[in-house]
Amino acid sequence: FYIIFYSRSPMRAANLVKTYFFILTGFKQANVIILHKSLADDFEIFCQANDGPLPLLYRSKPGEWKCTYLSNDSDIRTDCPQYRKYEHGECTGILTSLEEYSRQLKDMVTFYLGCSFTFEKALQESAVPIRNVEQKCNVSMYKTTVPCYGTERFHCNLIVTMRPIPQDKLEVVVQTTHRMKKSHGAPVHIGNPGLLGIKNLSSPDYGDAVQAHPGDVPVFWACGVTGIEAVCNCKSSLAFTHSPGCMFITDLKDNDAVPDQELPKVYCISWNPLYYSITATAAVQKIRCLEETIGVDPGNRGVKHLYSQGELLKACLSMSHAQSVLITTGFPTHFKYDPPEENDGPPGAIAMAAMLKALGKNVVIVTDQRALNLNKKIIKEAVEQGVMETPVPVISYHSHSADSALQFLCEHGNTKKPRYDHLIAIERAGMAADGNYYNARKINIKHLVDPIDELFLAARNIPGITTSGIGDGGNELGMGKVKEAVKKYISNGDVIACIVEADFTVTAGVSNWGGYAVACALYILNTCEVHDRYLRKAVGFPRLSKKACWASALPSVAKEEKLLHILQQNEVRSGRTASLEMEVDGLPFYNVHSLMIERLLKATLM
């Protein structure tokens, strides 16, 4: 076959021909960084700390021009189609050979780093169109605002390549590249470029602009040009690199395999802005087990008809990416008592808050003004008794005007500056079709409920905020997504069904169980190497050293027993019976709720 390249530069056209010949034949390619030997140890540490963009294939000895490990007859002075020369951080020359610098190269060390061009052949074999190959141009490369892990001499932000990929090919692409770890591995970002700090895809910092087709999604990989940025920032007196797109070609092919359990799965977790997340198959299976475990219907109330598979996973993926989370709870079903709150909701909210805090998130709880002091007291006592490590702020929401929700959620009402990334409602009274709030017995409790629903409604129009609703009867905030099933299968559903939707709806036999499952699922995701790498954009070190800290934040029978005692002492009652005994929703804590916690922990830690 023939490939025709159109270029104003014959040299550039020749480079592209050579590059794409090796793409089509499937050989590993390498980015090249050549530094003075005094910088070599520090740069190797920089590579090890940022192995996504800088997967080290080989480090030469000073003055070693050959690299038989990668290519039998190599000579680094001539094997790249084009080089760049850097002096004190500035590019001072474009070269086709380094032979005239042989004397200087005797005191320099060459780093051969994996390159994403290597996997393009594998993608083509999987019937994935590669737009830059189709358009006979270089791949697009962009500077991001994602900082790499810095060392004494080297620091920079991550550089990424972007390839437009058809939406129905995303999982194939992720699974194919995931196994090619020495060629940058799986993508570090799928979706809106603005989340990486990239303002305009049509203006790449390196390479060429590549035209997407309708239905394509921008997919970003860590890029070895990151090393060039680090060299520039180092400002060494002399350094050489390959020119972007003009790689060193090895004799090796990349056909590493990984067990099926490690293969990533891809999920869309936001449409505005468009954003996908990934995690390993094993993590998906564990979280589905959690979802099935909490989906039982102990009161035979029809809850099983509200269940939708995969909602727990997508909700927790979204929470895992969030930096700031707002949680709301509170269902004043016992309108004849003071306080009218039930004890389903607060324990689940606290379990989620504890895990989110352990993961480094900013967490705030919002509740009714009349219950503000009660909830502050419960949080304080939970910390004192070791249920939580640190306290969580508890605030209220006041609706004074049409833009109150917007002002509450965003700094100065600016939708580009949301205070929260994710809103969670758990066992929170939700607005019905007639504007009222009902308990399960169809009693209107609107006079006891602040309109926190407004926050969820406003969040629909604020890019970057996603929402989750957790409930067990369909009259809870966020359950509007399943309102038709509530009307059909839940007693009094035609009146009590909440109409306010959340992006993700988690149904449980008891809402607290949904909160426990969220905490467990967050632990599973963040201890998953595939998801952890995606979260940190393949820069820095894995966070698995924090695993013990995260495990200590998981719910336990002992913690929940203490918390139920705290609620008892504050006269917060069981939902169905108004009892102050050790029960929730009329079900005894011992041998029902305690066993549920044990089952969730077993599924999480197995």
Side-chain angles (χ1 to χ4, degrees):
F1 55 87
Y2 296 91
I3 302 177
I4 301 173
F5 289 92
Y6 296 95
S7 175
R8 295 179 181 177
S9 167
M11 179 180 295
R12 183 171 179 275
N15 292 339
L16 287 170
V17 168
K18 180 176 180 181
T19 296
Y20 284 109
F21 169 77
F22 283 98
I23 289 174
L24 291 169
T25 51
F27 287 94
K28 278 186 181 179
Q29 300 185 51
N31 299 289
V32 173
I33 304 288
I34 305 174
L35 299 164
H36 190 270
K37 61 186 179 183
S38 63
L39 299 171
D41 287 347
D42 199 50
F43 188 73
E44 183 171 356
I45 294 171
F46 185 70
C47 293
Q48 292 169 346
N50 302 284
D51 65 352
L54 304 170
L56 185 56
L57 302 179
Y58 184 75
R59 170 187 168 173
S60 79
K61 297 174 182 177
E64 184 183 11
W65 300 331
K66 295 185 179 297
C67 181
T68 55
Y69 173 74
L70 299 176
S71 179
N72 287 329
D73 57 353
S74 63
D75 186 334
I76 196 54
R77 298 172 300 174
T78 57
D79 277 356
C80 290
Q82 192 177 89
Y83 302 85
R84 287 188 177 186
K85 175 185 175 183
Y86 290 88
E87 295 177 286
H88 305 289
E90 299 293 331
C91 180
T92 57
I94 304 294
L95 312 168
T96 57
S97 170
L98 299 181
E99 288 180 301
E100 63 180 293
Y101 297 97
S102 296
R103 181 177 60 81
Q104 292 92 331
L105 288 169
K106 289 181 180 179
D107 289 323
M108 303 183 81
V109 172
T110 301
F111 288 85
Y112 301 83
L113 306 165
C115 172
S116 64
F117 279 3
T118 299
F119 60 59
E120 291 189 338
K121 172 62 174 175
L123 293 179
Q124 289 174 317
E125 289 176 346
S126 297
V128 177
I130 307 299
R131 303 301 185 205
N132 50 295
V133 175
E134 291 176 347
Q135 296 166 31
K136 304 174 179 63
C137 62
N138 199 353
V139 71
S140 304
M141 292 165 263
Y142 303 89
K143 297 179 181 180
T144 74
T145 55
V146 178
C148 291
Y149 183 95
T151 61
E152 181 180 354
R153 296 295 303 274
F154 296 97
H155 60 89
C156 67
N157 286 348
L158 176 68
I159 305 295
V160 292
T161 58
M162 188 283 295
R163 293 167 179 81
I165 301 294
Q167 190 275 334
D168 63 349
K169 297 290 186 181
L170 290 177
E171 195 154 272
V172 172
V173 164
V174 172
Q175 292 182 353
T176 300
T177 58
H178 163 74
R179 65 183 178 85
M180 305 178 78
K181 299 184 187 301
K182 288 298 185 180
S183 303
H184 302 305
V188 297
H189 183 82
I190 304 173
N192 189 288
L195 299 175
L196 293 175
I198 300 170
K199 295 181 179 179
N200 188 355
L201 286 180
S202 64
S203 299
D205 295 291
Y206 301 96
D208 299 318
V210 178
Q211 298 302 312
H213 288 204
D216 283 354
V217 176
V219 180
F220 300 84
W221 282 265
C223 176
V225 175
T226 302
I228 296 178
E229 287 288 301
V231 167
C232 291
N233 290 339
C234 178
K235 300 186 185 302
S236 62
S237 59
L238 179 65
F240 301 100
T241 72
H242 72 291
S243 283
C246 301
M247 268 64 65
F248 174 86
I249 311 298
T250 77
D251 296 341
L252 306 177
K253 291 193 174 184
D254 199 328
N255 54 1
D256 301 333
V258 296
D260 287 344
Q261 290 291 88
E262 291 185 16
L263 283 178
K265 305 290 286 183
V266 180
Y267 297 90
C268 182
I269 59 171
S270 171
W271 289 105
N272 185 22
L274 182 65
Y275 191 37
Y276 292 79
S277 187
I278 67 174
T279 190
T281 302
V284 172
Q285 292 172 344
K286 281 188 174 185
I287 293 172
R288 283 183 178 166
C289 178
L290 296 178
E291 191 172 53
E292 291 171 2
T293 300
I294 64 171
V296 297
D297 188 358
N300 293 314
R301 294 181 295 158
V303 174
K304 63 182 180 180
H305 298 290
L306 313 185
Y307 171 82
S308 180
Q309 187 181 62
E311 293 287 289
L312 175 64
L313 172 62
K314 288 183 285 186
C316 291
L317 282 169
S318 181
M319 294 177 206
S320 186
H321 285 275
Q323 296 300 313
S324 185
V325 179
L326 182 72
I327 301 174
T328 185
T329 191
F331 208 121
T333 191
H334 302 303
F335 55 93
K336 294 182 179 180
Y337 292 91
D338 184 22
E341 268 64 35
E342 66 167 292
N343 60 8
D344 188 18
I350 288 172
M352 291 188 293
M355 180 55 69
L356 289 163
K357 290 271 286 184
L359 293 171
K361 318 291 186 186
N362 176 53
V363 182
V364 177
I365 292 176
V366 61
T367 190
D368 302 295
Q369 176 63 39
R370 58 161 187 79
L372 191 63
N373 290 333
L374 170 65
N375 281 279
K376 286 181 176 180
K377 188 170 184 288
I378 291 169
I379 293 293
K380 180 176 180 291
E381 292 174 5
V383 173
E384 290 172 349
Q385 296 195 33
V387 177
M388 301 180 72
E389 184 71 24
T390 56
V392 174
V394 183
I395 62 176
S396 59
Y397 167 68
H398 305 276
S399 180
H400 299 301
S401 63
D403 69 343
S404 290
L406 182 64
Q407 294 290 335
F408 183 93
L409 292 173
C410 302
E411 294 180 23
H412 309 296
N414 184 350
T415 58
K416 295 183 179 179
K417 295 183 177 181
R419 292 188 174 97
Y420 309 101
D421 308 304
H422 199 100
L423 312 183
I424 308 172
I426 177 170
E427 193 64 22
R428 169 73 196 175
M431 185 172 65
D434 62 2
N436 292 316
Y437 297 80
Y438 295 95
N439 66 13
R441 293 179 294 279
K442 207 166 59 173
I443 303 298
N444 186 0
I445 54 174
K446 183 175 181 177
H447 62 292
L448 296 172
V449 181
D450 291 345
I452 291 174
D453 304 66
E454 292 178 5
L455 303 180
F456 282 68
L457 292 169
R460 294 179 183 176
N461 300 314
I462 303 174
I465 300 182
T466 48
T467 58
S468 294
I470 303 172
D472 60 11
N475 56 343
E476 301 90 357
L477 176 54
M479 300 294 283
K481 201 172 179 180
V482 294
K483 61 181 180 291
E484 296 307 319
V486 174
K487 293 175 184 178
K488 184 175 181 180
Y489 295 107
I490 302 296
S491 178
N492 301 318
D494 57 326
V495 175
I496 71 174
C498 175
I499 62 168
V500 181
E501 296 185 13
D503 295 313
F504 312 106
T505 300
V506 177
T507 303
V510 176
S511 292
N512 281 342
W513 299 353
Y516 303 152
V518 165
C520 291
L522 287 168
Y523 174 85
I524 291 168
L525 289 173
N526 283 269
T527 54
C528 166
E529 292 183 13
V530 171
H531 185 66
D532 171 71
R533 181 185 185 274
Y534 190 76
L535 281 178
R536 57 186 173 84
K537 310 303 181 194
V539 296
F541 294 102
R543 301 174 305 144
L544 300 183
S545 60
K546 299 179 181 179
K547 187 174 181 178
C549 172
W550 299 337
S552 69
L554 285 166
S556 69
V557 173
K559 287 181 187 176
E560 299 312 308
E561 183 179 32
K562 289 180 183 178
L563 187 52
L564 201 52
H565 280 303
I566 292 171
L567 294 171
Q568 278 183 322
Q569 291 162 8
N570 286 279
E571 298 188 22
V572 178
R573 301 167 183 272
S574 174
R576 297 186 69 181
T577 64
S579 169
L580 284 174
E581 298 300 318
M582 289 289 286
E583 65 172 57
V584 177
D585 271 358
L587 302 170
F589 176 77
Y590 303 107
N591 297 324
V592 176
H593 297 287
S594 61
L595 289 181
M596 174 58 67
I597 295 167
E598 289 175 352
R599 289 179 65 191
L600 292 172
L601 288 175
K602 182 178 179 180
T604 301
L605 300 172
M606 64 180 181

